[in-house]
Amino acid sequence: SYIAQTMMQCTELVEGEKPNVWPTIAGTGPMSLFTRGLKLPTAMGLGVNYPGASFHAPNEHIILDYYARGIKQLICLLAMF
C-alpha cells in the first residue's frame, strides 16, 4: 500500500538503511475497526523499540535516541501526505 511504502521510505531516510518489514494482521486489536469495519488500509509500527526493550513487560523501556528517530520518521510520514 502507499502508506506502507511511504513508511519504509521515511525509515530509510532517517535510519540510512532499509527497514525490516514484518507483515501482521490487525484482526484482534482495535485496528480491526479500521481494517475490517471501515475497510481502510493501515500501517503501524515505526519501530522505536529494540530487542531488549521488554515490550509490554513490567520493565518495558525505550532508548531516547530510538524515540527521537521514531519522531523524525513520523514527521517525514506526515510531511509526505
Side-chain angles (χ1 to χ4, degrees):
S1 78
Y2 178 73
I3 295 171
Q5 294 296 324
T6 304
M7 288 178 75
M8 290 186 288
Q9 287 177 334
C10 287
T11 299
E12 190 168 354
L13 284 171
V14 172
E15 300 296 331
E17 59 186 64
K18 292 190 181 293
N20 292 321
V21 179
W22 297 31
T24 61
I25 298 172
T28 59
M31 292 304 291
S32 66
L33 297 174
F34 297 96
T35 58
R36 290 183 183 170
L38 298 175
K39 307 289 187 221
L40 295 175
T42 60
M44 57 187 203
L46 289 171
V48 298
N49 64 333
Y50 72 105
S54 300
F55 192 55
H56 292 319
N59 61 343
E60 178 179 9
H61 61 282
I62 186 170
I63 295 175
L64 291 178
D65 181 56
Y66 282 58
Y67 189 63
R69 291 177 356 213
I71 291 169
K72 290 176 185 176
Q73 290 173 2
L74 184 56
I75 290 169
C76 174
L77 180 65
L78 294 173
M80 289 192 172
F81 284 94

